[in-house]
Amino acid sequence: MRKLSIFLTMALSAVVLLSGCGSSGSKGGSDTFKVGMEAGYAPFNWTQMDDSNGAVKMEGNAEFAGGYDVEIAKRIAEGLGKELVIVKTEWTGLPPAVTSGKIDAIVAGMSPTPDRMETIDFSDNYYQSDLVMVVKTGGKFENAKTLDDFNGAKVTAQLNTFHYSVIEQIEGVNKQTAMDDFPAMRVALESGVIDAYVSERPEGLSASAANSNFKMVELEEGFVTAKDETAIAVGIKKDSELTDKINEILAGISEEERTEIMNMAIKNQPAAK
């Protein structure tokens, strides 16, 4: 009887131990919503050193991510009943990360272009923007109104984006090598390496709000683009069951709330360096 009692006690302990291990593993996997972003495209996403203004700590380092994308990701994670985990990922590495399962979704100011849709799926749009030019305040192109005004200008855009391809619509442009991210382009613009870079309106507003040396130029006669090129959506693995769930959550975020989130992101962004 004593031996049986000891056996039952050991068996019960093993069950408890295994249950505890199972809970830990679940929390690190199915109970999380892992989102990839470059955290360098304010006001959509950026990197900061604390959790002020609702920033979320990034996996594997001491930095935090803030911005419009982070706020949208929070709402999606809440709707899914999962814990949000931000995984800082280089722009070019985002589609491979979601297809390999390293992350569950891309929430990074990414447009659902036909090329990208060959490898990943996209949710419904969670933002719609338009293209602008960012130039130096007081510079030669500060008062530009049309694409023709950038004839001869040194212009660039981010690598592996449609922003870079539209530069060719500017007659006589001096197209520069594409750059890895927006912080690099801001540095190049301020130092005179380039005269302008192509961006979307929120980033243009962000640049001019963060640094008085930058000015956003909205063109009267601008770039010709398709609607999907200026839309922003969540990138998801092909045929994922998450797509319908994310669309349902996004449908519950009104246009008024989206505008408010973007306005707060522009207001809260870190100052340009």
Side-chain angles (χ1 to χ4, degrees):
M1 187 74 176
R2 182 179 174 84
K3 289 182 179 180
L4 179 60
S5 177
I6 292 173
F7 174 77
L8 290 174
T9 300
M10 291 175 64
L12 181 60
S13 297
V15 170
V16 171
L17 179 60
L18 288 173
S19 297
C21 292
S23 297
S24 177
S26 176
K27 184 174 177 55
S30 61
D31 285 350
T32 61
F33 178 54
K34 287 195 170 186
V35 167
M37 62 181 64
E38 59 185 324
Y41 182 33
F44 285 100
N45 53 77
W46 64 72
T47 299
Q48 61 186 63
M49 298 310 298
D50 57 37
D51 63 355
S52 59
N53 299 315
V56 175
K57 192 175 184 301
M58 290 188 276
E59 183 181 62
N61 61 54
E63 299 174 322
F64 294 76
Y68 182 83
D69 289 328
V70 174
E71 295 303 317
I72 293 296
K74 282 182 185 178
R75 285 158 174 76
I76 296 173
E78 182 180 1
L80 294 173
K82 297 179 181 291
E83 176 189 355
L84 175 63
V85 175
I86 302 293
V87 182
K88 189 172 185 177
T89 309
E90 292 293 331
W91 176 257
T92 54
L94 287 168
V98 80
T99 56
S100 68
K102 181 181 178 181
I103 58 175
D104 298 311
I106 301 167
V107 187
M110 183 173 281
S111 300
T113 61
D115 285 348
R116 292 188 183 121
M117 291 179 72
E118 290 181 4
T119 57
I120 61 176
D121 286 340
F122 282 92
S123 70
D124 295 336
N125 300 336
Y126 66 88
Y127 198 81
Q128 185 74 42
S129 186
D130 48 32
L131 293 185
V132 299
M133 300 288 274
V134 179
V135 303
K136 199 167 183 179
T137 303
K140 179 180 177 181
F141 302 96
E142 181 181 30
N143 297 314
K145 301 293 184 185
T146 69
L147 291 180
D148 290 340
D149 292 331
F150 286 94
N151 189 305
K154 295 178 291 185
V155 180
T156 191
Q158 188 179 24
L159 182 68
N160 291 332
T161 65
F162 86 97
H163 299 171
Y164 192 65
S165 65
V166 301
I167 294 175
E168 296 171 4
Q169 295 182 26
I170 305 173
E171 186 175 353
V173 70
N174 186 353
K175 187 176 182 180
Q176 302 294 293
T177 302
M179 295 189 176
D180 289 336
D181 52 42
F182 283 82
M185 287 189 285
R186 291 185 184 186
V187 170
L189 178 60
E190 191 158 26
S191 63
V193 173
I194 59 173
D195 297 312
Y197 66 81
V198 182
S199 186
E200 294 185 43
R201 191 172 186 276
E203 195 282 333
L205 286 170
S206 172
S208 56
N211 190 327
S212 60
N213 289 325
F214 301 142
K215 180 181 178 181
M216 180 185 73
V217 174
E218 295 184 270
L219 302 171
E220 295 173 358
E221 296 179 26
F223 297 103
V224 176
T225 63
K227 186 176 181 180
D228 61 2
E229 292 177 323
T230 53
I232 302 298
V234 178
I236 312 158
K237 188 175 182 178
K238 280 285 185 183
D239 302 317
S240 171
E241 63 179 18
L242 281 175
T243 304
D244 289 340
K245 296 177 182 178
I246 290 175
N247 283 339
E248 184 178 347
I249 295 165
L250 291 177
I253 308 174
S254 68
E255 287 301 320
E256 291 77 12
E257 185 178 1
R258 296 181 196 204
T259 299
E260 182 181 347
I261 295 169
M262 179 57 77
N263 290 340
M264 288 303 296
I266 293 172
K267 177 183 177 182
N268 294 333
Q269 65 174 330
K273 298 177 181 177

